[in-house]
Amino acid sequence: MLRAGSVTRDFDGDVFFQNLLRDLGYRIGVMKPVETGCSERDGQLYPEDAVRLKQASGCGTPMEKICPYRFVEPLAPSIAAERTGDRIDIDHLLKVYEEISSEHDVTLIEGAGGLMVPLLPSFTYADFARSAKLPLIVVAANRLGAINHLMLTLEHALCKELKVIGYVLNCPTDQISLASETNREVLANLTGVPYLAELPFVATANSASVFPAGQFEKEFALRLIEPFLL
């Protein structure tokens, strides 16, 4: 499954989703094909998002496979690669994905920036999802503008003939606005794509203290995900 969409400093739903699946007995694989905006640690680029995915999943896959491409500048992958004289090899990414997925029951792939972000000048995450035959979970920041952002992403997924499992509304701040309170109802009237959950903003690193795993299981529409876990 590919998680497509953008998130800011907010609740990390991936962590709890993976913990929930692990509790249900699934072997979880993860992949972050490209991570930009990496800091340098001990002379190497540190992919913070990919590390968090690996820790949450508990998988033993080497980080070189989980995150094959890393760049310092916080740019779209195609541009970040071009500026360092590199080129992202899509065939290599697909091969690595096949290796990871063959060793796990469920493999969660995290995108970067959105479905239309380019990995190559004319090859986006949507194209990657289509090539790998990945169903999508779309994440949208629950604020003013979320309706347009989410609907455009869903429309593009349809144009690419991608299967969307559902969408998640993610709260980017602790400030509740009229837009964030009404987005879910508006979206329900605009699309037949299933709503999966609304996830809260978490200011502390200890997300579990604010949103316990048991509550996540109750809030998340896991029944809509289960057909894709077989």
Side-chain angles (χ1 to χ4, degrees):
M1 288 179 284
L2 173 71
R3 193 194 79 167
S6 59
V7 285
T8 53
R9 178 173 172 75
D10 51 5
F11 172 77
D12 191 350
D14 285 343
V15 172
F16 283 93
F17 183 43
Q18 292 172 63
N19 287 342
L20 174 58
L21 293 178
R22 287 174 61 188
D23 289 344
L24 293 173
Y26 292 102
R27 296 173 301 159
I28 311 302
V30 293
M31 186 178 180
K32 177 89 174 181
V34 183
E35 184 160 341
T36 64
C38 296
S39 60
E40 188 172 319
R41 297 189 184 183
D42 301 323
Q44 295 191 0
L45 294 182
Y46 183 80
E48 184 176 346
D49 291 348
V51 169
R52 186 163 60 247
L53 287 173
K54 178 177 172 64
Q55 291 173 343
S57 67
C59 73
T61 304
M63 187 54 64
E64 289 71 24
K65 286 189 176 182
I66 291 176
C67 187
Y69 293 98
R70 311 167 199 177
F71 302 99
V72 173
E73 295 180 305
L75 301 169
S78 64
I79 301 300
E82 180 182 325
R83 287 173 59 84
T84 59
D86 296 310
R87 181 178 175 85
I88 296 169
D89 186 337
I90 302 300
D91 288 336
H92 176 63
L93 290 179
L94 292 171
K95 179 182 177 182
V96 171
Y97 163 68
E98 290 295 337
E99 291 173 355
I100 296 175
S101 62
S102 69
E103 299 170 351
H104 300 88
D105 301 316
V106 182
T107 299
L108 178 65
I109 301 178
E110 182 174 287
L115 197 59
M116 298 173 70
V117 169
L119 292 164
L120 297 175
S122 59
F123 191 95
T124 66
Y125 273 103
D127 296 315
F128 179 76
R130 185 174 181 177
S131 297
K133 298 180 174 60
L134 300 172
L136 307 180
I137 295 176
V138 180
V139 180
N142 190 14
R143 59 189 174 197
L144 188 64
I147 296 169
N148 185 64
H149 164 235
L150 181 60
M151 292 301 297
L152 286 175
T153 299
L154 297 178
E155 287 289 339
H156 188 66
L158 179 63
C159 290
K160 290 289 186 177
E161 300 180 335
L162 299 174
K163 173 63 179 179
V164 180
I165 300 173
Y167 63 89
V168 172
L169 294 176
N170 222 18
C171 297
T173 74
D174 58 355
Q175 301 298 313
I176 298 176
S177 66
L178 186 58
S180 64
E181 288 182 329
T182 57
N183 280 338
R184 178 181 173 183
E185 180 180 355
V186 175
L187 286 165
N189 291 321
L190 289 174
T191 178
V193 174
Y195 161 84
L196 298 178
E198 181 177 344
L199 306 180
F201 172 81
V202 174
T204 175
N206 185 14
S207 302
S209 65
V210 180
F211 201 57
Q215 183 180 348
F216 180 77
E217 182 175 359
K218 180 180 178 181
E219 296 285 342
F220 199 91
L222 184 63
R223 70 187 185 281
L224 300 175
I225 304 293
E226 288 176 330
F228 297 90
L229 304 181
L230 301 176

